[in-house]
Amino acid sequence: MTKNIAIIRGDGIGPEIMAEAISVLNRIAEKFGHTFNYTEAPMGGEAIDKFEDPLPQSSLDTCLNSDSVLLSAVGGPKWDSVPKEKRPERGLLRLRAGMELYANIRPAQLFDELRDASPLKPSIVDKGIDFVVVRELIGGAYFGEHRTEKLDGEYYAQDIMAYSEHEIERIAHVAFQTAQKRRKAVCSVDKANVLDSSKLWRKVVTKVAESYPDVTLSHMYVDNCAMQLVKDPSQFDVIVTENLFGDILSDEASMITGSIGMIPSSSLGDGTRGLYEPIHGSAPDIAGTDTANPIGMILSAAMMLRYSFDMSKEADAVEKAVDSALKAGFRTVDAMSEGKTRLGCRAMGKTICDMI
Ligand code: IPM
Ligand code: MG
């Protein structure tokens, strides 16, 4: 098969980890007889430097004309002082909206090999951590009206958190369908004791649940969910929630697995084209030092093979190679523990390629 992949190299450690993911994809292409064509689509800080725009139209067009998009991570202190509309994050939000990627899937999984890395007590971790956060990605406070104005001599700012029924419905379907392929339990997280948008959220999710009689639905307030995630994460299978709650809870979810450098994510809309990225940031403090962990990026490429290209054998091959590298005791510095062999970013990428 021939696939055209848009590549957003990103900022900070982005280019380093992307290079390793591309080597892995090239190894897969060679082994399974595919052709992968890559086109760069600058976004974030790189695009601000080159085009004074965090998402130039040409980059959005490249992404829209591709079979799928791979992204490392964008942003860094260098662009902290640019106006809001020009910030790297704006590029990412415009890309999500421009590609209509309303469903963000963030798995939280404890790698057997990395149990010690979880900050939770063994008695909690031993019950297992294996759930998915399904985060609504192009609605809520991120995309409602933002306004800052001076009223009666002081500044006043607002961000409107709004949802329409169809926006809730479509993300609920994604959550139930995700659960059907897993342990068949959806926990919908909201703040329905306070917010109107959450009351509507709860009502619509409950209605959509009627079409999935094989899946159990429960509801939880977001503050309680934040607590339950550290108290007993084993209770969760699929968490579905709105954009801002999902942003916060998915960081918490990744932390408890102890392997933020290893977790991939996907953002999907109605078609098969998606945006795949590791959940970690651009880590500008270690950029250029060959110490970054490329695994989250490599597993994002595997997710792309599986979900956008329907190449499950190929995705399995990548995931198995990552597993073998970890089982053989290879670690980047973020995941180092006693008795393991420390590798740099490039060496980790090469080891995984060799194991495919
Ligand atoms: C994420 C990030 C983004 C978000 C930022 C960079 C805009 O935190 O992907 O979770 O808030 O969605
Ligand atoms: Mg976030």
Side-chain angles (χ1 to χ4, degrees):
M1 261 196 259
T2 298
K3 294 289 178 191
N4 298 316
I5 305 170
I7 297 287
I8 302 172
R9 269 182 207 285
D11 309 314
I13 58 168
E16 296 165 59
I17 57 174
M18 184 62 83
E20 301 316 315
I22 290 178
S23 300
V24 165
L25 286 172
N26 288 341
R27 173 79 193 100
I28 289 292
E30 179 190 32
K31 187 173 161 123
F32 292 86
H34 301 305
T35 304
F36 295 141
N37 301 318
Y38 310 101
T39 311
E40 287 208 33
M43 193 270 277
E46 183 196 3
I48 297 171
D49 289 350
K50 285 190 185 144
F51 308 99
E52 289 181 19
D53 182 349
L55 180 66
Q57 188 61 41
S58 56
S59 290
L60 178 59
D61 289 342
T62 300
C63 293
L64 289 171
N65 292 323
S66 68
D67 293 309
S68 210
V69 184
L70 261 192
L71 160 66
S72 54
V74 296
K78 182 173 170 197
W79 303 280
D80 270 353
S81 55
V82 301
K84 188 181 120 193
E85 277 314 302
K86 293 246 155 111
R87 286 182 63 92
E89 291 84 350
R90 237 6 255 167
L92 180 58
L93 297 180
R94 278 169 47 206
L95 181 64
R96 288 171 178 169
M99 292 177 68
E100 286 183 76
L101 305 171
Y102 58 83
N104 182 217
I105 319 281
R106 299 189 166 182
Q109 211 181 340
L110 187 73
F111 288 80
D112 247 359
E113 296 293 321
L114 297 170
R115 285 180 163 254
D116 297 345
S118 171
L120 299 183
K121 283 193 235 166
S123 59
I124 297 174
V125 170
D126 287 346
K127 291 164 85 180
I129 303 176
D130 180 10
F131 62 92
V132 178
V133 179
V134 176
R135 168 189 177 194
E136 199 292 323
L137 202 58
I138 53 174
Y142 277 64
F143 290 91
E145 191 197 342
H146 305 287
R147 190 147 49 120
T148 307
E149 62 196 329
K150 206 158 194 178
L151 284 179
D152 300 329
E154 64 171 345
Y155 279 107
Y156 167 88
Q158 65 171 34
D159 305 278
I160 301 212
M161 183 189 276
Y163 273 101
S164 62
E165 284 182 80
H166 82 273
E167 288 174 315
I168 304 169
E169 251 163 45
R170 63 186 182 184
I171 190 74
H173 282 291
V174 172
F176 287 109
Q177 285 160 19
T178 305
Q180 280 182 322
K181 294 183 211 126
R182 299 176 43 96
R183 300 194 305 277
K184 301 192 171 50
V186 169
C187 177
S188 172
V189 172
D190 61 36
K191 190 72 188 172
N193 48 347
V194 179
L195 304 175
D196 270 38
S197 56
S198 280
K199 275 183 212 136
L200 182 65
W201 180 278
R202 196 174 275 222
K203 193 170 142 201
V204 174
V205 172
T206 305
K207 179 91 188 109
V208 173
E210 289 170 12
S211 317
Y212 300 89
D214 53 329
V215 179
T216 331
L217 170 66
S218 58
H219 300 277
M220 196 179 272
Y221 295 138
V222 61
D223 47 349
N224 184 26
C225 181
M227 182 178 78
Q228 295 298 332
L229 278 173
V230 289
K231 193 174 162 221
D232 180 17
S234 72
Q235 69 186 285
F236 297 109
D237 179 24
V238 174
I239 290 175
V240 63
T241 191
E242 68 89 40
N243 204 347
L244 182 58
F245 298 162
D247 179 45
I248 299 167
L249 294 177
S250 64
D251 264 30
E252 188 185 0
S254 67
M255 188 62 222
I256 61 176
T257 68
S259 40
I260 187 156
M262 316 238 183
I263 300 184
S265 76
S266 65
S267 302
L268 301 164
D270 282 330
T272 57
R273 190 194 313 111
L275 171 69
Y276 296 83
E277 56 180 312
I279 61 157
H280 61 72
S282 60
D285 51 322
I286 58 161
T289 60
D290 192 35
T291 51
N293 187 343
I295 293 182
M297 185 75 245
I298 289 170
L299 291 176
S300 300
M303 237 178 157
M304 175 184 76
L305 295 173
R306 189 182 305 282
Y307 296 109
S308 279
F309 301 166
D310 204 15
M311 296 181 178
S312 51
K313 280 198 313 281
E314 292 82 342
D316 285 346
V318 177
E319 286 163 4
K320 274 200 198 109
V322 167
D323 208 44
S324 307
L326 293 174
K327 285 217 166 78
F330 297 117
R331 301 281 189 277
T332 43
V333 63
D334 53 299
M336 260 312 269
S337 57
E338 228 183 286
K340 306 297 179 201
T341 312
R342 182 172 163 181
L343 295 183
C345 179
R346 280 196 297 272
M348 181 59 97
K350 178 158 192 319
T351 303
I352 293 167
C353 277
D354 291 346
M355 284 179 165
I356 291 176

